[in-house]
Amino acid sequence: MSVHRHPWWPYVPPEGRNRLRRQVRRQRLWAWLRQRRVRIGLALGVYVALCLLPLLLGEPTLVLVALLPVLLVPPVGYLAYRLTWLEFHR
């Protein structure tokens, strides 16, 4: 919901509107950043960006080694979960 559509918006003094807009914008950004999905995405993005830095320095092998955890952890985690599930449900 936009700040402008709030029924009390016309009663806010004009000199306080910019401050209120910034405050609402900051609160919305903070609420968005507190979502688990967003934090995981940001962390993964920062990690991949840091891993790609050696590529600019001419070290493609180092990039592959740095990205191995990102590529291997999800399938290995799923395999461990699947094997544990099969063990307890047979």
Side-chain angles (χ1 to χ4, degrees):
M1 184 171 172
S2 176
V3 174
H4 304 287
R5 295 185 182 188
H6 195 279
W8 289 358
W9 186 251
Y11 302 106
V12 176
E15 59 273 1
R17 289 183 183 178
N18 285 335
R19 181 185 54 80
L20 188 60
R21 280 189 188 110
R22 282 193 308 269
Q23 183 180 0
V24 168
R25 218 177 283 133
R26 187 174 46 247
Q27 287 174 346
R28 286 181 182 163
L29 176 65
W30 185 247
W32 182 73
L33 287 172
R34 290 181 55 130
Q35 293 178 6
R36 184 177 180 188
R37 182 186 70 211
V38 173
R39 286 185 296 180
I40 290 172
L42 285 174
L44 186 62
V46 168
Y47 182 76
V48 168
L50 287 175
C51 288
L52 292 177
L53 249 149
L55 192 60
L56 298 174
L57 302 173
E59 295 290 337
T61 309
L62 187 59
V63 172
L64 291 175
V65 171
L67 288 176
L68 276 177
V70 174
L71 300 174
L72 294 179
V73 168
V76 171
Y78 174 74
L79 180 64
Y81 168 78
R82 181 76 178 152
L83 290 174
T84 305
W85 189 90
L86 287 174
E87 183 69 28
F88 283 103
H89 288 87
R90 280 194 193 176

